[in-house]
Amino acid sequence: MNIEQINSALSITDLLASQGIQPARKRGSDWWYISPIRTAERTPSFKVNTRLNRWYDHGTGEGGKVFDLALRLHRTATIREVIQLLSRQSFLATPTPVLTACSAENNLPPKQEPEKDSDAHRLRVLASSPLEEKSRMAVYLRQRGVSLRTAAPYCREVDFSINARQHSAIGFENRSGGYELRNAWFKGSSSPKDITYIDRGTNTVCLLEGFMDFLSLLELWPHLKESASFLVLNSLTQLGKGLEVLGRHRQVLLFLDHDPPGRKVTERLLRSELNCQDVSALYRGHKDVNAYLVAGQRQAKRHRLSL
């Protein structure tokens, strides 16, 4: 079986049940769990929509399909090992049993507990507008080595509120309409969390962790805009969502961080069935593409001052 077949054949609730994980409560097609992918919590904030067969963790703003969740439940396994594990599961061919009786607790009206989405402290996007040359956001981009010309086609200035205060940040939109948000003091995202895929119709795709690395890549090697597509994970935890996208390409170029999580994912992908090439030697000695870009610009500036 492949990832697409697993996502269509296996229900998330059966996957969780096979791990001994049962719902804390049910509300129609929404089944609520104590999150199986985070530290223990008191109030269930991990939701599975049984009609759509999708999950969403309100504590992290992440969600996805069956395979996305399986990767998180089996963190030490390779992609191939997870595929083999799920393909062998006997419950793939077994329909979810119909409940003939419910406990008195399940028949009671659900408790009216405040959910994360209605929390007054949740980040809310208020408005977005094109980036402007003399704005604070343009200044911040230049501090990160990125020109407005490079960023403008992909980013917007986003006004958002959190804890009843309003702020602005550079916003990079994902495929589900959420934003990755960055300014000089803030790093966060709005819901829903997802990957960003920039499809150029090419056989090669560049894989990056964050959008600052993506913009830095275009600053350093602008010719890639014409010769490659780009997949920005917006978090390594979103890798499972990007596997189907990566599988559509003949070649995957890995521009991941030089830190333990980045190296672990790089090694995992190099062992997978995908045709991956680690090109992080291009920024050897630096944590990521953006750090390499900024260091190079500082060195060039010092060189000009010494002349």
Side-chain angles (χ1 to χ4, degrees), residues 79 207 246 250-254 265-266 268-279:
I79 295 168
L207 180 66
L246 298 178
R250 294 179 185 173
Q251 183 180 43
V252 180
L253 302 180
L254 306 178
V265 171
T266 295
R268 184 176 184 178
L269 287 171
L270 291 174
R271 294 195 303 268
S272 74
E273 68 277 10
L274 300 170
N275 180 25
C276 297
Q277 180 181 351
D278 179 14
V279 293

Side-chain angles (χ1 to χ4, degrees), residues 226-250:
E226 308 300 329
S227 60
S229 297
F230 302 89
L231 178 60
V232 183
L233 293 176
N234 296 318
S235 170
L236 287 179
T237 61
Q238 303 290 299
L239 175 63
K241 296 181 181 180
L243 292 176
E244 291 181 47
V245 174
L246 298 178
R248 301 176 202 160
H249 299 81
R250 294 179 185 173

Side-chain angles (χ1 to χ4, degrees), residues 6-69:
I6 288 171
N7 283 331
S8 61
L10 175 61
S11 77
I12 294 173
T13 54
D14 282 347
L15 172 64
L16 291 171
S18 74
Q19 304 293 311
I21 302 169
Q22 299 296 330
R25 69 175 187 269
K26 300 175 184 178
R27 185 181 298 172
S29 60
D30 291 335
W31 293 22
W32 293 87
Y33 295 79
I34 298 295
S35 178
I37 59 175
R38 289 186 286 114
T39 54
E41 58 183 2
R42 293 184 177 180
T43 302
S45 63
F46 184 94
K47 181 177 74 174
V48 176
N49 186 292
T50 57
R51 180 175 59 84
L52 299 175
N53 199 30
R54 299 288 189 274
W55 63 274
Y56 185 80
D57 191 324
H58 287 268
T60 62
E62 300 167 2
K65 301 180 182 179
V66 177
F67 196 78
D68 306 323
L69 178 57

Side-chain angles (χ1 to χ4, degrees), residues 47-109:
K47 181 177 74 174
V48 176
N49 186 292
T50 57
R51 180 175 59 84
L52 299 175
N53 199 30
R54 299 288 189 274
W55 63 274
Y56 185 80
D57 191 324
H58 287 268
T60 62
E62 300 167 2
K65 301 180 182 179
V66 177
F67 196 78
D68 306 323
L69 178 57
L71 285 176
R72 289 160 175 76
L73 294 174
H74 303 281
R75 294 182 184 275
T76 60
T78 65
I79 295 168
R80 184 183 296 275
E81 287 170 345
V82 173
I83 291 174
Q84 293 172 344
L85 175 66
L86 296 182
S87 298
R88 289 196 303 267
Q89 293 290 345
S90 60
F91 56 75
L92 277 174
T94 306
T96 304
V98 177
L99 298 178
T100 56
C102 297
S103 67
E105 180 181 354
N106 283 341
N107 283 327
L108 292 174

